[in-house]
Amino acid sequence: MNTVRFFELATESFEVLGVLSMVVGFLFAFVLAAWTWRRTADGGRAFTTLRQSLGGAILLGLELLVAADIVKTVTSAPSLTDAAVLGVIVLIRTVLSLSIEIEIDGVAPWKKAFVTGPQVLAQATRHSTRQDPDPHE
């Protein structure tokens, strides 16, 4: 296998994983929220679980899509146009990621410890499975 084909496959794999993580995360978020609602009969808690887990899935997908864009740009023939396109794509996805994180946590990311998309999903899962909800979360 030549190097060009390898990097094309790597880029396509990142893209597929990014989209797949959002789709699976979407399904997981709704199942987790429904389970939380059924178990606790607390619609607010279920909604919070849905928002947190769905936001985490989107963040993870965006991180993977940015990785795909970086691999694609780094491995292609260098051009100013490709670099500019990558810059705009990364900027847009970064703004989306920041706004989603602020929406989920209610605080800017630089005012708290760094949390990744998978960590947000794990926190949402722990929150939904806890027997005694913390009213401050």
Side-chain angles (χ1 to χ4, degrees):
M1 176 185 295
N2 64 16
T3 309
V4 173
R5 183 66 188 139
F6 172 78
F7 286 120
E8 287 173 356
L9 287 173
T11 301
E12 290 171 10
S13 297
F14 274 121
E15 290 171 343
V16 168
L17 286 172
V19 172
L20 189 62
S21 71
M22 285 191 239
V23 171
V24 170
F26 174 82
L27 296 172
F28 175 77
F30 275 91
V31 168
L32 188 61
W35 183 67
T36 301
W37 190 5
R38 181 176 177 181
R39 192 177 54 81
T40 65
D42 183 355
R45 186 171 173 188
F47 181 71
T48 300
T49 299
L50 175 65
R51 288 186 67 203
Q52 287 178 336
S53 55
L54 186 56
I58 293 169
L59 284 173
L60 176 59
L62 285 173
E63 290 170 1
L64 290 166
L65 291 172
V66 166
D69 292 332
I70 291 170
V71 170
K72 186 185 303 181
T73 302
V74 169
T75 59
S76 66
S79 77
L80 192 53
T81 304
D82 286 346
V85 168
L86 174 65
V88 170
I89 289 171
V90 170
L91 179 66
I92 290 169
R93 290 186 179 159
T94 300
V95 169
L96 284 171
S97 294
L98 286 173
S99 64
I100 290 169
E101 283 190 51
I102 291 170
E103 186 70 25
I104 290 172
D105 298 329
V107 64
W110 52 88
K111 292 187 177 183
K112 64 175 181 65
F114 181 71
V115 179
T116 63
Q119 289 171 324
V120 171
L121 286 171
Q123 287 172 353
T125 303
R126 281 192 301 274
H127 176 75
S128 72
T129 59
R130 202 172 42 236
Q131 292 296 331
D132 54 336
D134 182 358
H136 302 294
E137 285 191 48

